[in-house]
Amino acid sequence: MCDDARSLTRRDLLRGALGAATLLATVPPADAAAAESVARRLARLRTATGTDLDVAIRAERWIRTSRVRTPAGLAWPADPRDARSLERDFYNGTPGIVLFLLELYDATGDASFLDDAVAGARDLEASLDAGGNFDGGLYTGAAGIGFVLAETWKRTHDARHREAAKKAVAALRRNARPAGAGVEWSDSADIISGAAGISLFLLRAANELDEDGATDLAVRAGHRLTELGQRAKGGLKWAISPSVPALYPNFSHGTAGAAYTLATLYGATRERAFLDAALAGTAYLEAVTDRSNDACKVFHHEPDGIDLYYLSWCHGGAGTARLYYRLSDVTGDAKWLDRVHCFARGITTMGAPVGRSPGYWENISQCCGNAGVGEFFLSLHRLWPERSYLEVARKAADDILARGEEAGQGMKWVQAEHRVRPDFLVAQTGRMQGAAGVGSFFLRLEGFAAGRAPLTILPDSPWT
């Protein structure tokens, strides 16, 4: 999103890790004076804040100050200063905060977090009955709400939340419209709001909600997604929609995300056409990948953004590498793991997690900034216990903490969500652009140190 479209065997794993050893050696040194200033601020905040779990709790304390009572429960505006920013999308609305509260409950056992999460879930349940224009998207609509309601049911064992999650599936089934060889919900094909992301939720619903027909609906969406691929450079590429002239090759809005979903569909169905399309998308990405200095990166968009490189989940290596890990998983071919590590090197050679570049600006988020980069490297370290990966994740956490602001008993992060609007600075509450996403990253760090598996796996994530 950011500033664009929304407005194996152990031996094989170790083989893939060989490329990680020199990772940090390529990180450009930070300016000495700036580094010293950051170090002093970080030391003060660490003393005041404490552990990774404490950081997550303080993020929640700030988020809590903005909660709004609704007729059905609780909701949270993305910008506490703007009541109009209260939305029910997973990207930056109530669903992402509910998920963060569930994760905090898992980590602490504090029932107050669960109570607020349940109140938020009830508001989301009511929103499914509210009518209006239907949005099925994973990060923008019913699929994201359904996912969070299913997570609420798994924590509470309250069948009402399960039935509400199934209601989201029913809404997707009811609003699917025939298109070409399959179905679609809008003219969007991407992970954020389109068929790629919705299909991933449907596959999850089939497994966890025992929802009859969800896989078949995902398959039909996959057939439509396959035929939307455009021939290019010996493979296929995907647009967000016919109405968006720019093409984004990376994960959130483009080819990597579409190919990831198709590879996931192949893993679920063994339908060869899905794998062929995923491999065709990968062939296109291989053709446009910059491999300078043995580090992989793919440009932001075409035609006028081919010299711009992002780093995190939305348009950078932290997102695009997911496709290659999924391909390795569903094919059993470890060659794809080399690309995962190559994209990791692409991120650090551009200066992350402490340096800045045009595609890595003053943003701490899961979508575009350090929280997304940090989670990616922590996930890699879980798979390949290579010290350099954990060091990058910890550096990302330190950089985020150093940019935090104490707010009463809580903590917030003022950032520029949009690269092209650097002066528009806002402290937000949500998952992909705010404190809930930051808190979730710190919970993952705390869980890793405690030897605990990740608390939640998102539908679009291959990391376990």
Side-chain angles (χ1 to χ4, degrees):
M1 272 194 175
C2 302
D3 56 81
D4 35 56
R6 183 172 176 169
S7 321
L8 317 154
T9 68
R10 179 170 175 80
R11 182 175 62 83
D12 289 335
L13 292 175
L14 290 173
R15 172 181 174 270
L18 292 177
T22 60
L23 187 70
L24 291 178
T26 59
V27 178
D31 175 78
E36 182 179 355
S37 175
V38 168
R40 287 196 300 268
R41 177 172 171 76
L42 177 60
R44 181 177 64 80
L45 285 168
R46 272 291 179 204
T47 300
T49 304
T51 66
D52 293 324
L53 179 58
D54 292 330
V55 177
I57 291 172
R58 293 192 70 189
E60 188 279 333
R61 285 175 178 165
W62 177 72
I63 293 170
R64 185 190 307 173
T65 63
S66 69
R67 64 185 178 178
V68 175
R69 295 284 176 184
T70 70
L74 286 176
W76 292 261
D79 178 356
R81 305 170 306 173
D82 183 1
R84 296 171 300 175
S85 69
L86 196 157
E87 300 287 351
R88 274 84 178 183
D89 62 279
F90 184 56
Y91 187 84
N92 227 25
T94 293
I97 294 172
V98 170
L99 187 66
F100 174 46
L101 291 168
L102 292 173
E103 292 177 325
L104 270 171
Y105 171 68
D106 286 342
T108 66
D110 186 333
S112 68
F113 297 136
L114 183 61
D115 290 344
D116 278 4
V118 168
R122 288 175 181 156
D123 177 82
L124 296 176
E125 291 162 9
S127 75
L128 290 173
D129 296 322
N133 294 329
F134 181 76
D135 185 332
L138 179 59
Y139 283 88
T140 59
I145 292 173
F147 161 66
V148 171
L149 292 176
E151 292 296 309
T152 307
W153 163 64
K154 287 158 60 177
R155 269 53 168 224
T156 63
H157 308 291
D158 186 333
R160 289 177 297 179
H161 301 306
R162 181 175 186 268
E163 292 308 306
K166 290 167 74 71
K167 188 182 296 185
V169 178
L172 289 167
R173 185 181 296 112
R174 188 169 58 250
N175 285 277
R177 63 194 190 200
V183 298
E184 62 186 15
W185 291 267
S186 67
D187 66 358
S188 174
D190 68 3
I191 290 285
I192 290 278
S193 62
I198 294 169
S199 296
L200 294 172
F201 165 67
L202 289 169
L203 291 176
R204 178 73 68 89
N207 290 329
E208 296 188 352
L209 300 175
D210 194 25
E211 182 63 33
D212 293 340
T215 297
D216 289 341
L217 188 57
V219 166
R220 293 171 65 197
H223 290 157
R224 175 58 173 164
L225 187 61
T226 296
E227 68 182 5
L228 289 174
Q230 306 172 19
R231 295 286 174 190
K233 297 187 179 295
L236 292 174
K237 64 182 179 181
W238 278 263
I240 298 176
S241 80
S243 63
V244 179
L247 275 83
Y248 300 85
N250 290 287
F251 192 76
S252 66
H253 287 310
T255 299
Y260 176 89
T261 294
L262 293 167
T264 304
L265 281 165
Y266 170 72
T269 67
R270 292 295 155 179
E271 188 171 322
R272 179 71 201 194
F274 290 138
L275 179 60
D276 289 343
L279 291 172
T282 307
Y284 167 76
L285 289 169
E286 290 285 284
V288 300
T289 296
D290 181 335
R291 298 184 186 84
S292 303
N293 302 314
D294 192 33
C296 295
K297 55 185 181 179
V298 176
F299 60 82
H300 182 263
H301 70 278
E302 58 177 328
D304 58 349
I306 59 173
D307 296 319
L308 175 64
Y309 296 92
Y310 277 26
L311 283 76
S312 196
W313 171 86
C314 57
H315 299 291
T320 297
R322 294 182 177 202
L323 166 62
Y324 291 89
Y325 187 78
R326 178 63 90 216
L327 283 173
S328 179
D329 180 41
V330 301
T331 67
D333 191 340
K335 73 177 183 181
W336 300 115
L337 298 177
D338 292 336
R339 282 286 179 263
V340 175
H341 301 291
C342 189
F343 277 105
R345 292 192 296 274
I347 293 170
T348 56
T349 54
M350 290 182 66
V354 294
R356 300 290 176 261
S357 72
Y360 195 64
W361 63 102
E362 298 304 318
N363 183 284
I364 49 81
S365 75
Q366 288 275 351
C367 180
C368 320
N370 256 345
V373 168
E375 284 218 7
F376 172 57
F377 279 93
L378 183 60
S379 297
L380 295 189
H381 182 71
R382 285 184 177 275
L383 292 164
W384 297 281
E386 172 64 41
R387 179 182 176 187
S388 60
Y389 284 154
L390 183 58
E391 288 178 352
V392 175
R394 289 266 26 135
K395 283 176 182 281
D398 286 347
D399 187 69
I400 292 170
L401 184 57
R403 287 196 271 160
E405 294 185 11
E406 297 172 84
Q409 296 299 308
M411 179 168 282
K412 65 181 181 179
W413 287 266
V414 179
Q415 64 160 16
E417 176 179 347
H418 308 286
R419 175 184 57 84
V420 295
R421 300 176 67 189
D423 298 325
F424 182 57
L425 300 172
V426 181
Q428 294 174 280
T429 61
R431 165 76 195 187
M432 298 305 287
Q433 290 288 355
V438 169
S440 180
F441 169 47
F442 277 89
L443 284 179
R444 278 162 169 71
L445 286 168
E446 182 271 334
F448 170 76
R452 187 177 65 236
L455 302 172
T456 307
I457 306 298
L458 269 60
D460 63 310
S461 174
W463 316 118
T464 58

